[in-house]
Amino acid sequence: QVQFVVSGGGLVQAGGSLRLSCTVFGSSVSINAIAWYRQAPGKQRELVATISSSGGTHSPDSVKGRFTISRDSAKNTVYLQMNSLKPEDTAVYYCNADPEPFDDWGQGTQVTVSS
């Protein structure tokens, strides 16, 4: 199995910025893309950004223009730069494969945006 270790969450004020990191351990030969997901209390888990093996990226309108996903292949790490954070961005953020995520989502990293 592949392990995704995330870090970088924390408490920030609205309008602030945060950068999350996702380091992938184990074999990734079967992973076509890696994505950031988030889940807020009472809400469905949603995809917030994805990056393919070729470098292509995609994100939904809710975060487009504010969040940027990138990767450092040498470090086997994917990043999520979050700017202009809003209270509605508050959630647990996860990193996993896309479009077929692994069953083990890990603990994620908590992002809390205060008003």
Side-chain angles (χ1 to χ4, degrees):
Q1 287 290 331
V2 176
Q3 183 180 180
F4 300 86
V5 179
V6 302
S7 63
L11 174 64
V12 298
Q13 292 186 317
S17 298
L18 206 59
R19 189 180 76 158
L20 307 183
S21 298
C22 170
T23 301
V24 184
F25 295 89
S27 177
S28 61
V29 295
S30 64
I31 302 176
N32 297 128
I34 297 176
W36 286 96
Y37 304 80
R38 69 183 181 188
Q39 186 168 27
K43 295 184 178 180
Q44 299 271 355
R45 182 184 295 116
E46 64 175 339
L47 186 146
V48 295
T50 186
I51 185 166
S52 70
S53 59
S54 63
T57 63
H58 182 75
S59 61
D61 291 340
S62 59
V63 305
K64 190 170 295 183
R66 300 188 298 118
F67 291 10
T68 302
I69 188 170
S70 62
R71 68 182 182 186
D72 185 336
S73 297
K75 296 181 178 180
N76 214 26
T77 299
V78 176
Y79 303 95
L80 183 68
Q81 179 66 48
M82 304 184 293
N83 299 324
S84 301
L85 283 163
K86 305 174 180 179
E88 50 262 46
D89 294 319
T90 295
V92 177
Y93 285 70
Y94 303 89
C95 182
N96 212 328
D98 175 41
E100 295 291 337
F102 291 85
D103 290 338
D104 184 7
W105 288 84
Q107 298 300 307
T109 186
Q110 176 72 51
V111 172
T112 302
V113 184
S114 64
S115 59

